[in-house]
Amino acid sequence: MNSAQYPTPEHFILHISDTHFVADNELLYGAVDSDENLRQLFKDFAKAKARPEAIVFTGDLADTGREDAYARLKALVEPAAAEIGAKVIWVMGNHDTRTPFRRILLDSDAGEESVDMVHDVNGLRIIALDSTVPGHHYGEISDEQLAWLEDVLATPAPHGTLIALHHPPVPSTHSMIEMFELRDQARFEEAIRGTDVRGILGGHFHFSTFSTFADVPVSVASATCYTQDLNVEPGSMRGQNGAQAFNLVHLYNDRVLNTVVPIGEFATVYSVTAEQMQAFTQLSLEEVTAQMTASH
């Protein structure tokens, strides 16, 4: 990916969130095929023939923390990641359970310890930070975690740092956010301000949104299972089986670009081949429009 004004990105990350896998052959809330949605995502993504360096899953991987759900998720994701040469980075969510999460996805017997990990992706440091509080929807980062994070960030990484966590440190237009938000955000802000953190990736909300935190861009990926309808009466919630999406994260030397990509196939308005696109550079606007109309 390149343009006349910008260089090729230094790093490319695929950001996916809230898969909410349930028991085999079951539907989430009796309506959503979480497995099929993720299969469709990788099927769609394969068309672009893109090669991200890592795939980051920002939590709520299994809806009730079932071992079989994690095993099925791993069996679906790892071959897809291997095919495109991407490292898989798993992050805990409030619906996840640490012991089976660790055992199945991380091959670890550390049990209920907080799942905080540092990953090197070709010089880019990605920190998976466990913001979950077992048994609760809201998130929190403990004093011990903050001390660990400050120690890690004390040494800059060659290409800077991304922090991936489930509960994003951003405001929300949803009136029920207090039930779900990351608490004591000021302490987290103090820990990362002035460090080499270049971006924060989150999930949890089941809709895409963007903000800044400690002067760092924050990108929240929508869910692959179901999404939140934001056109509802104040104080109410409605999950909808539609508008699922994932994010593309491109890091340039001086900025981070986040792009939302919907999951699914839609009606074609026009279709232009790569060869035609090259030819279009020599055509007028009217000629391009005419050819695109004829392609439908």
Side-chain angles (χ1 to χ4, degrees):
M1 190 175 74
N2 202 353
S3 67
Q5 298 185 68
Y6 297 101
T8 300
E10 294 177 325
H11 295 283
F12 173 27
I13 308 297
L14 187 58
H15 178 197
I16 299 172
S17 200
D18 294 85
T19 52
H20 282 264
F21 270 37
V22 292
D24 196 10
N25 298 320
E26 289 187 6
L27 299 179
L28 180 63
Y29 297 123
V32 177
D33 190 337
S34 302
D35 297 51
E36 180 56 33
N37 286 354
L38 191 60
R39 276 193 291 268
Q40 184 67 49
L41 184 159
F42 285 117
K43 178 183 175 183
D44 294 344
F45 187 72
K47 298 175 185 176
K49 298 181 180 179
R51 290 293 181 268
E53 298 158 275
I55 307 174
V56 178
F57 286 84
T58 48
D60 280 4
L61 309 179
D63 188 61
T64 58
R66 294 175 58 108
E67 284 198 11
D68 58 331
Y70 291 125
R72 215 168 59 255
L73 176 66
K74 183 178 182 179
L76 192 160
V77 170
E78 288 194 342
E83 187 171 342
I84 59 178
K87 179 176 185 175
V88 181
I89 297 175
W90 307 107
V91 180
M92 274 282 297
N94 59 285
H95 278 259
D96 293 307
T97 304
R98 287 173 178 156
T99 295
F101 178 102
R102 282 185 172 280
R103 183 163 50 242
I104 304 300
L105 299 180
L106 304 179
D107 193 25
S108 165
D109 60 1
E112 289 300 300
E113 292 182 15
S114 180
V115 187
D116 305 304
M117 302 181 69
V118 178
H119 303 270
D120 175 70
V121 180
N122 301 320
L124 174 68
R125 179 168 55 196
I126 300 181
I127 299 176
L129 192 61
D130 186 348
S131 58
T132 65
V133 180
H136 297 277
H137 288 294
Y138 67 84
E140 208 165 55
I141 303 171
S142 70
D143 291 337
E144 292 77 14
Q145 287 177 286
L146 289 171
W148 172 83
L149 179 63
E150 289 173 343
D151 184 62
V152 171
L153 294 176
T155 303
H159 297 171
T161 298
L162 290 181
I163 294 179
L165 76 170
H166 186 59
H167 299 81
V170 298
S172 172
T173 58
H174 202 291
S175 59
M176 303 297 289
I177 188 60
E178 288 186 7
M179 291 176 55
F180 307 101
E181 68 182 351
L182 179 68
R183 297 186 176 180
D184 297 321
Q185 294 182 19
R187 297 159 61 214
F188 182 34
E189 182 176 13
E190 183 179 348
I192 67 172
R193 186 177 292 280
T195 66
D196 73 342
V197 175
R198 302 180 60 184
I200 298 173
L201 308 181
H204 192 44
F205 289 171
H206 288 239
F207 58 86
S208 303
T209 193
F210 307 92
S211 187
T212 57
F213 182 76
D215 298 323
V216 171
V218 181
S219 172
V220 181
S222 186
T224 63
C225 58
Y226 69 90
T227 65
Q228 286 292 334
D229 181 0
L230 299 182
N231 295 314
V232 295
E233 293 183 2
S236 65
M237 297 179 68
R238 175 181 175 268
Q240 59 187 359
N241 191 3
Q244 294 92 338
F246 59 98
N247 287 7
L248 311 179
V249 184
H250 291 91
L251 289 93
Y252 295 81
N253 59 356
D254 63 346
R255 68 195 66 204
V256 180
L257 177 69
N258 294 282
T259 306
V260 179
V261 183
I263 299 172
E265 298 179 354
F266 307 93
T268 300
V269 176
Y270 61 81
S271 180
V272 182
T273 67
E275 291 76 14
Q276 288 173 319
M277 284 298 298
Q278 290 294 322
F280 279 0
T281 61
Q282 309 300 320
L283 301 179
S284 67
L285 175 61
E286 291 79 7
E287 290 171 324
V288 170
T289 301
Q291 289 200 24
M292 291 170 67
T293 301
S295 73
H296 180 58

